[in-house]
Amino acid sequence: MTGLRPGAILRLSSLALATIALLPVQLVIARLAPGKSATIPLLFHRLTCRCLGVRRRIRGTPPPAGSGGLIVANHVSWLDISVLGAERPVCFVAKSEVRSWPVIGFLSRLQHTLFIDRSRRGATADVAAQMGERLSAGQAVVLFAEGTTGDGTRILPMRSSLLGAAHEALKSEIDGAGEADIAVYPLTISYTGFHGIVGGRVERTALAWYGETELAPHLKAVLDAGAVDVELAWGEPIAMGRKTSRKEATRLAEAAIRKARQETVSGRPLA
């Protein structure tokens, strides 16, 4: 990656050294003490945010510490992984292509990411079964329900298929047949600007990684910026299951995410 400023080179070097130092520790912990394997990813994501100058602001009430549930979020950038991973131990659901990406794929596997092959019939059911196991074990699972990244301003329609499949799998994990509620936590990720200065559509689009945007130039832009501001806005939890269907839960989560994005963009709360 050429043309980096000295400060960007220092940040990238620090991140590379931190990755090299933490990788063997995570491999050992994953083998000898898998129950504690979430500690190193949490530290890694916090270091990533620090090295890249990402500053997080929290709005709303996050899920209680240590609680499980399904976090339904919009998707803006590859940065979302570290922004969320720096807040609490979570596992992600990602498309199968991520598994083979250099560095990122390896790190994703170490964090026990669930990969879904959208080209294979039955892939949703396989991933949903794994999600059910994680949820029944009290883990927090992050689902980017849009299915792709947005431009930083618009919220794309959210898909209900994985929410419903995860609920069915959780029912099987719990009692095999009876009803069960699953906590769905809407979360809005908004990159608001640089260096504490709130930007507009141009700045939000510049921070988004979407469409045909290549990773290397986008990473260079983030490194050169030196200070990226992001807001995480938590909505009210939704109990999906006995009274609320997966389609209704998806609709409520999408509405909460759209409302939070509009509040962030406008700078004022909506009624």
Side-chain angles (χ1 to χ4, degrees):
M1 193 180 298
T2 59
L4 286 175
R5 299 171 183 172
I9 294 174
L10 178 61
R11 287 189 288 275
L12 184 59
S13 299
S14 299
L15 179 57
L17 289 173
T19 303
I20 293 170
L22 291 175
L23 272 178
V25 179
Q26 175 66 358
L27 289 170
V28 171
I29 291 177
R31 179 175 291 273
L32 300 181
K36 298 182 179 180
S37 60
T39 302
I40 296 300
L42 182 69
L43 176 59
F44 171 78
H45 290 307
R46 288 178 177 175
L47 286 171
T48 298
C49 287
R50 180 174 292 274
C51 290
L52 297 182
V54 178
R55 303 185 296 187
R56 308 183 308 280
R57 174 178 176 266
I58 308 300
R59 184 160 62 89
T61 304
S67 63
L70 190 61
I71 299 172
V72 175
N74 64 303
H75 200 6
V76 184
S77 169
W78 51 270
L79 263 177
D80 298 348
I81 306 301
S82 285
V83 167
L84 286 181
E87 288 298 316
R88 60 184 55 233
V90 295
C91 65
F92 296 91
V93 179
K95 59 185 180 180
S96 58
E97 294 89 332
V98 174
R99 188 198 301 268
S100 60
W101 287 1
V103 182
I104 293 177
F106 180 60
L107 294 174
S108 298
R109 293 194 297 275
L110 283 181
Q111 192 165 349
H112 308 297
T113 296
L114 302 175
F115 298 101
I116 180 168
D117 183 355
R118 296 172 184 163
S119 65
R120 185 173 62 82
R121 296 178 68 87
T124 297
D126 293 343
V127 171
Q130 296 178 62
M131 290 172 64
E133 293 176 3
R134 304 285 181 91
L135 292 166
S136 65
Q139 296 185 31
V141 177
V142 177
L143 178 62
F144 296 118
E146 293 166 300
T148 186
T149 51
D151 64 1
T153 295
R154 295 176 299 164
I155 300 296
L156 303 176
M158 299 198 168
R159 306 174 181 179
S160 63
S161 56
L162 270 181
L163 276 78
H167 177 243
E168 291 300 318
L170 182 60
K171 285 199 301 183
S172 298
E173 284 290 320
I174 292 176
D175 56 21
E179 287 291 338
D181 282 339
I182 174 175
V184 175
Y185 298 96
L187 175 64
T188 309
I189 306 170
S190 300
Y191 294 88
T192 56
F194 305 93
H195 299 274
I197 301 175
V198 178
R201 181 182 294 270
V202 171
E203 287 75 17
R204 290 193 296 274
T205 301
L207 286 166
W209 185 53
Y210 71 107
E212 301 300 320
T213 306
E214 295 184 2
L215 178 59
H218 193 267
L219 174 58
K220 179 180 181 297
V222 171
L223 286 165
D224 282 338
V228 173
D229 300 306
V230 59
E231 178 188 85
L232 298 177
W234 293 95
E236 292 295 322
I238 302 162
M240 179 177 68
R242 285 168 287 193
K243 294 183 179 180
T244 305
S245 69
R246 52 108 171 174
K247 289 188 176 181
E248 178 65 8
T250 303
R251 186 191 69 78
L252 291 172
E254 182 177 327
I257 290 170
R258 290 184 183 277
K259 179 174 181 289
R261 169 58 58 79
Q262 187 59 37
E263 289 176 341
T264 298
V265 171
S266 66
R268 60 180 184 275
L270 301 180

